[in-house]
Amino acid sequence: MTKLEQLIKKFCPKGVKFEPLWKVTTWDKRFSGVDKKKQEHVCKFKHVSAAQLKSMSIDDGDVLLLSTGNFTAYTSKELAGEYLNNNEVISLPSGGTATIKYTNGLFVDSSNLLCITSNRQKYNLKFIYYCLLTRQEFFDRNFRGSGIKHPNMQVILELKVPVPSIEVQTEIVRILDKFTSITAELTAELTAELTLRKKQYEFYRDKILTFKREREIMLGEISDMISSMKNVKGKWAEEGNCQFVDYMNVYNNSSIDVNDLPFATVQNLNQETVQQGDILFTSASETPDELAISSVIEQKIQPGIFLDDHLFGVRLKKEYQNKFALSFLKHYFRSNTFRRQIDKIVLGVTRFYFAKPSLLKTKVFMPNLKDQEYIGDILDKFEKYTTNIQSGLPAEIALRQKQYEYYRNKLLTFKELRG
């Protein structure tokens, strides 16, 4: 019998209690719609803007920069200054995607919602964190809103987590920490290889997509603007009277796959819809490097698919549709060649956007159609090798992650104690 089995047999042989998140954690703000009795106490932390957070980054820092997304970096105590925090916390983005993080020690935070354990003797915060990771789909469903999504804390705080004895919690954390470390070591080499391949793709993409200045034309000259949908309700429901392209569909993919589109109910279906050949851009973001990320609709799609707000779409004019290859454009609009133009039109301080007329004044290089098709074919093959989750390095990394999640979820599955 393992130590964990012995502890479970001793402290919770008949099952464990499940407690709501509001009871086991204390947050750094009171949330609208939540009974005040469920948030009798709050904890205080200092926050900075996303831009300020990134400006603090240094190579040899020892203070974590806690972002709302995938950005990970460090700074020094001196640079952190008055914004230095020191605690054990779970973080949840105030906007964006439901990225749950845990940190213990020195950190600077940017726009996260932060919580601590409400009772160290009863609730191990890292145990709670591991429990929350098993409910990622729940958090994804409860990040809602048009464009940039925000957490529905009224629902999230009611999520129940198992609460075995503190001895059992501590042992499970010890096991999962060790398992996490082993999994990280196993995937580190694969991830490094994948990162290298992506850099190679980006290097050759940008090298190939460098053209002579005389072969360029303004985006507004070759395309017309596409409007986003209006009078919408029930976004991201399981079903609706239409589908729509949302922010993350564009951000995560150079080419839209209609099989991944969410549903909504639109009161007026006689609005402009997206079509094959449309080029879509993110039009607002919390960091400037996430602004004007593009995606192209290459495949034929059914009528009635709409464009969400916080996105901007253009459609090639008829006289130019036979002069551009979509396979070329989808790589071009994500290249540094084009991104350098975007850097010049970024507006905002804490939230970033661009004026649509400014985007339409950006330049598009225009090699002959055969060259575009040839370039698009080469970069398509390179991108598929690099990013296709069904084969190669990404699939192996995903397999490692699934193995880890399986054993983690098994450890965190308890019989609920009744009565």
Side-chain angles (χ1 to χ4, degrees), residues 11-27:
F11 292 104
C12 42
K14 296 181 180 180
V16 305
K17 288 185 178 180
F18 280 63
E19 302 282 11
L21 193 57
W22 61 261
K23 185 173 182 179
V24 301
T25 56
T26 299
W27 294 76

Side-chain angles (χ1 to χ4, degrees), residues 269-282:
L269 291 173
N270 295 319
Q271 301 182 52
E272 190 167 28
T273 59
V274 295
Q275 303 174 9
Q276 182 183 22
D278 290 348
I279 305 157
L280 313 178
F281 298 88
T282 58

Side-chain angles (χ1 to χ4, degrees), residues 207-217 332 337 363-367:
K207 195 80 171 173
I208 291 171
L209 293 173
T210 301
F211 304 98
K212 294 180 180 179
R213 299 297 297 178
E214 64 266 19
R215 307 179 74 180
E216 61 184 10
I217 189 168
Y332 172 76
T337 303
K363 301 293 181 65
V364 180
F365 288 103
M366 191 175 171

